[in-house]
Amino acid sequence: MPLKEKNIILGICGGIAAYKSADLISKLTKMGANVHVVMTKSAIKFITPLTLETLSGNRVFTNLFPPPKGDPLVHVDLADKADIIVVAPATANTLGKFAHGIADNLLSTLILATQAPILICPAMNTNMWQNEIVKANVQRLKDMGFYFVEPEWGELACGVEGYGRLAEVETIVEEIKTILSSKDLAGQKVLVTAGSTQEPLDPVRFLSNPSSGKMGYAMAKVARRRGAEVTLITGPTTLTPPRGVRVLGVKTALEMKNTVLDNFEDASIIVKAAAVSDFRPQRFFNKKVKKTPGKMEIGLKRNPDILKELGKKKGNRILVGFAAETHDIIKHAQKKLKEKNVDLMVVNPIGIPGAGFGSDTNMVKILDRKGDIVELPLMTKEKVAEEIWDKVVEIIRSG
Ligand code: CTP
């Protein structure tokens, strides 16, 4: 995983959003990272070093002087050990210092001394964020290769609504993972389908399935993290689309098929994680179907098998299919792999607690064309996605 045993130096500046750094530290350490906190003088007025020391399990640094006796120089030591420096929240004042090479405290000195990538997450009042001086400083830093997670819209501590709120902690974590991930999918154009399809019967009813879209979204997120250009074709879900991914929303299997075919030519890898409805109501009623006494019958029509169609015209593209099975899992998955002409078939058993529809975890087997089977234990869908992409990278490398 991208954060395991990574040294993350977290710079915290003085702003009301400083309290959110506690959540950030706790999430990063849970993912296996080593977090070393550096606070500016004004940050200490918003949150105590003791809180952050307890959460990170590491000493919190606040001062450049006096240099600790017997220890290496703090700014050089931290600068060298950093895999990444994250500044969250970053104030307009600190941004200005970074942009102009001013080194008057530990954090700004560290920025000059490090070779590690630097991610800045600003938070400030809307007028300050939109001030031309701040804008120019941000642009200058971007041009010099600093990464940014820009502030979001929301209610600010000063009582107004606008841009300036520190980005969500999840967004910051995802950007850290992206920066630290190996870019082994760089240059790849990935098309992912996710979620269920809805096949309408009348204006208020449809035929569907409980797919949440989580597996497909995880595939899209991890592919983007590893450097791919990603298009996500998604059925209706409640999920937030991953950052940096082009998202195309669809409802029915026919819409999904058309959108996939429109984007297929350009793609080098296609991942069909969507749970496509195999059938649709034979006819659509323009008006709500009213209750009538006696039996009610609905005729169904077959939907096209999108994956099978792609398998016929895949050329050199890598095709990844998914299947959920209740019995004879391997046998059914092998049959689908051959019939649909895919390179990898990812199969999960139905009925195992914590696996499959709606869950955050999954337990899958990954089958390839050579007959190899990777059997994975129950793990988060994000980890499953990492494993699947590892297999895809193996296929790419083997030519
Ligand atoms: N799939 C598809 N179009 C369909 C049905 C399925 O593209 N109309 C794709 C899914 O996205 C998935 C794979 O085919 O990647 C396997 O889906 P699954 O429903 O398990 O397979 P089916 O072929 O529908 O087989 P069955 O329902 O008989 O098990």
Side-chain angles (χ1 to χ4, degrees):
M1 286 305 281
L3 297 189
K4 201 148 179 57
E5 282 160 27
K6 295 286 189 223
N7 281 312
I8 300 177
I9 314 296
L10 177 63
I12 304 173
C13 305
I16 191 68
Y19 79 92
K20 291 188 185 167
S21 58
D23 186 25
L24 180 57
I25 295 167
S26 131
K27 289 209 161 68
L28 294 172
T29 49
K30 275 192 193 122
M31 290 173 193
N34 247 320
V35 183
H36 305 273
V37 176
V38 174
M39 301 176 80
T40 65
K41 234 192 247 161
S42 46
I44 300 167
K45 300 205 169 110
F46 290 89
I47 185 160
T48 72
L50 180 62
T51 305
L52 305 185
E53 204 152 290
T54 312
L55 287 170
S56 68
N58 286 317
R59 173 173 163 194
V60 168
F61 298 93
T62 52
N63 279 320
L64 191 53
F65 301 109
K69 278 204 188 82
D71 283 4
L73 282 176
V74 175
H75 65 287
V76 177
D77 184 45
L78 288 176
D80 285 350
K81 77 155 64 128
D83 289 300
I84 185 170
I85 297 185
V86 180
V87 186
T91 53
N93 178 41
T94 291
L95 276 177
K97 288 184 193 179
F98 291 173
H100 297 280
I102 296 169
D104 66 347
N105 60 17
L106 179 55
L107 182 59
S108 51
T109 309
L110 194 55
I111 294 294
L112 293 187
T114 193
Q115 305 265 359
I118 300 165
L119 173 66
I120 313 271
C121 312
M124 62 193 76
N125 157 275
T126 303
N127 290 340
M128 289 170 83
W129 177 243
Q130 282 165 353
N131 183 291
E132 292 303 324
I133 302 171
V134 175
K135 276 196 204 164
N137 285 341
V138 169
Q139 195 52 50
R140 193 173 151 81
L141 291 168
K142 282 185 181 170
D143 292 344
M144 287 189 280
F146 284 60
Y147 296 93
F148 273 81
V149 175
E150 301 208 347
E152 292 171 2
W153 177 278
E155 200 178 320
L156 302 172
C158 50
V160 298
E161 265 198 31
Y163 283 102
R165 223 164 86 130
L166 184 69
E168 292 294 328
V169 168
E170 283 75 16
T171 312
I172 298 173
V173 171
E174 181 54 29
E175 203 51 32
I176 298 171
K177 285 183 183 171
T178 300
I179 296 167
L180 292 178
S181 287
S182 72
K183 298 292 177 284
D184 49 6
L185 291 172
Q188 300 295 336
K189 291 194 171 173
V190 169
L191 191 64
V192 179
T193 70
S196 63
T197 61
Q198 292 181 352
E199 313 297 327
L201 171 72
D202 70 11
V204 295
R205 301 180 179 95
F206 58 77
L207 195 68
S208 191
N209 61 64
S211 168
S212 63
K214 285 178 184 168
M215 194 59 241
Y217 275 56
M219 287 299 288
K221 190 196 250 189
V222 173
R224 185 256 169 178
R225 209 184 270 166
R226 289 167 71 156
E229 195 182 305
V230 184
T231 299
L232 173 64
I233 299 176
T234 173
T237 74
T238 55
L239 305 174
T240 311
R243 235 166 85 88
V245 164
R246 177 171 159 245
V247 181
L248 304 171
V250 296
K251 270 204 173 136
T252 65
L254 290 178
E255 279 170 27
M256 183 169 280
K257 179 190 151 193
N258 292 336
T259 314
V260 167
L261 291 179
D262 286 349
N263 290 276
F264 168 79
E265 283 300 323
D266 255 10
S268 53
I269 305 168
I270 298 113
V271 176
K272 285 285 292 105
V276 184
S277 189
D278 286 325
F279 306 94
R280 65 180 182 276
Q282 210 151 26
R283 63 166 288 210
F284 174 73
F285 296 85
N286 286 320
K287 293 189 180 145
K288 186 179 172 191
V289 177
K290 302 302 284 179
K291 283 195 291 288
T292 46
K295 207 159 119 188
M296 166 83 188
E297 278 182 1
I298 303 168
L300 297 177
K301 233 196 224 166
R302 278 293 298 270
N303 269 330
D305 187 324
I306 308 171
L307 186 57
K308 202 166 178 178
E309 285 191 33
L310 296 181
K312 285 185 193 143
K313 51 169 84 175
K314 77 188 232 14
N316 291 330
R317 297 173 187 84
I318 296 172
L319 210 50
V320 181
F322 281 76
E325 304 287 350
T326 52
H327 60 285
D328 295 332
I329 290 167
I330 301 285
K331 202 174 97 193
H332 284 126
Q334 275 165 338
K335 187 164 172 268
K336 283 181 191 172
L337 183 134
K338 279 211 182 76
E339 281 177 3
K340 303 196 184 201
N341 191 27
V342 301
D343 298 280
L344 292 177
M345 184 54 90
V346 183
V347 59
N348 68 269
I350 293 172
I352 302 269
F357 286 143
S359 152
D360 285 327
T361 49
N362 209 355
M363 194 167 82
V364 308
K365 300 180 200 313
I366 309 173
L367 285 70
D368 68 13
R369 281 170 183 274
K370 293 182 288 181
D372 289 349
I373 302 173
V374 178
E375 300 205 19
L376 298 172
L378 191 70
M379 52 173 71
T380 64
K381 287 187 172 169
E382 209 172 295
K383 276 197 184 140
V384 173
E386 288 279 0
E387 297 276 350
I388 299 169
W389 284 120
D390 285 349
K391 282 292 285 181
V392 171
V393 168
E394 253 177 52
I395 297 176
I396 298 170
R397 290 193 178 144
S398 68

